[in-house]
Amino acid sequence: MPVTIQTLPAEVINLIAAGEVIDSIAAAVRELVENSLDAGATRIVVSVWPEQWRVQVADNGTGMDLENLQQAAEPHSTSKITTEADLYKIATLGFRGEALHSLA
Ligand SMILES: Nc1ncnc2c1ncn2[C@@H]1O[C@H](COP(=O)(O)OP(=O)(O)OP(=O)(O)O)[C@@H](O)[C@H]1O
Ligand SMILES: [Mg+2]
């Protein structure tokens, strides 16, 4: 019997992984609002254009500079944990460093 099992191409693997985090507009909004809350926001404005699959979340939290924004779009990039031990004392809504990369 011929071997038909193959490792998927990297771009397909990335899309499947992203789809596990962002599978709907609601999931995108949830991730962005969780980030706003983790950033200490007390005012969050959510705008949604569902027909264009467009979402905008604005907040008055800590914000970030351009360098951090570019890093945030990389896989497994977070400011919320750094070590394995941190996994046992999570104090934020997010910690995987995957949401913005999945959105990107
Ligand atoms: N609204 C925001 N205000 C300030 N910093 C933000 C905001 N959204 C994201 N960030 C920064 O970008 C990083 C990456 O965000 P992302 O949502 O991808 O990961 P995360 O929140 O750390 O983990 P998770 O994937 O579980 O949500 C965050 O760790 C945070 O430092
Ligand atoms: Mg997050």
Side-chain angles (χ1 to χ4, degrees):
M1 185 176 173
V3 174
T4 56
I5 300 172
Q6 299 171 30
T7 302
L8 289 166
E11 63 267 25
V12 178
I13 292 171
N14 283 339
L15 282 171
I16 291 171
E20 289 172 358
V21 180
I22 306 294
D23 62 359
S24 63
I25 291 180
V29 170
R30 184 193 63 221
E31 293 292 344
L32 294 171
V33 169
E34 285 185 356
N35 281 346
S36 296
L37 293 170
D38 283 344
T42 55
R43 185 169 185 272
I44 303 170
V45 179
V46 178
S47 307
V48 182
W49 297 265
E51 284 164 15
Q52 298 158 41
W53 283 82
R54 185 172 163 215
V55 171
Q56 181 183 70
V57 176
D59 67 57
N60 67 346
T62 56
M64 64 173 121
D65 60 21
L66 182 59
E67 198 178 341
N68 277 296
L69 178 63
Q70 289 166 339
Q71 182 62 44
E74 295 296 320
H76 313 294
S77 292
T78 182
S79 63
K80 299 171 189 175
I81 63 169
T82 53
T83 67
E84 181 182 341
D86 292 337
L87 288 172
Y88 298 95
K89 46 183 180 182
I90 299 288
T92 50
L93 295 168
F95 62 89
R96 305 157 298 174
E98 274 300 281
L100 295 187
H101 174 249
S102 298
L103 278 166

